[in-house]
Amino acid sequence: MKDQIKKLEKQRFNHLINKEYEQFAAMCDPDLRYVHSSGAIDNLSSYMEKLNSGYYDYQEMDLDIAKVIDMQDCVLVIGDFYAKVLVDGQLVTLQNRALSIWKKYSDHLKFLMYQGTPFND
């Protein structure tokens, strides 16, 4: 499962960096909940609006996966998330403890939730 998750997370990041937003949206569960390190919360619709308007412009993204927990109906991904992103034109460097949740369907996974909490070195 960990290899599959690594591939999906890399694909998610590549879609965001390359502004392939429709492909990113196709990876997401309709009930997506994205909790930013600022505390702001987006659902799929509001997150897509911000991506398409250029409010979020991802430059670099990486996830150092510490643990993958395979549960009955979802997969929890715990790790350290690093990114450089333009937020409304301002460069922000992120270092977060992160939790991603991927919802299981019969033959695939969909990105359901992300929550990042900033940490200091």
Side-chain angles (χ1 to χ4, degrees), residues 24-37:
F24 167 76
M27 298 181 71
C28 295
D29 186 88
D31 292 324
L32 175 72
R33 184 168 178 89
Y34 199 102
V35 183
H36 301 273
S37 56

Side-chain angles (χ1 to χ4, degrees), residues 9-93:
E9 290 285 6
K10 184 172 179 61
Q11 187 177 29
R12 174 170 74 97
F13 296 160
N14 286 339
H15 288 323
L16 290 171
I17 290 168
N18 295 317
K19 299 176 180 53
E20 300 167 344
Y21 300 139
E22 292 307 313
Q23 292 94 325
F24 167 76
M27 298 181 71
C28 295
D29 186 88
D31 292 324
L32 175 72
R33 184 168 178 89
Y34 199 102
V35 183
H36 301 273
S37 56
S38 66
I41 300 171
D42 279 306
N43 59 28
L44 182 57
S45 176
S46 63
Y47 193 51
M48 292 303 296
E49 284 177 23
K50 289 174 182 173
L51 290 169
N52 285 312
S53 73
Y55 183 80
Y56 292 124
D57 184 355
Y58 290 92
Q59 307 295 301
E60 297 175 20
M61 301 173 82
D62 190 30
L63 178 63
D64 182 12
I65 297 173
K67 189 165 190 160
V68 173
I69 303 170
D70 190 352
M71 302 184 73
Q72 183 174 343
D73 59 353
C74 65
V75 179
L76 306 180
V77 183
I78 301 162
D80 294 336
F81 175 76
Y82 304 92
K84 290 185 180 179
V85 58
L86 295 173
V87 179
D88 201 19
Q90 300 294 319
L91 181 63
V92 175
T93 300

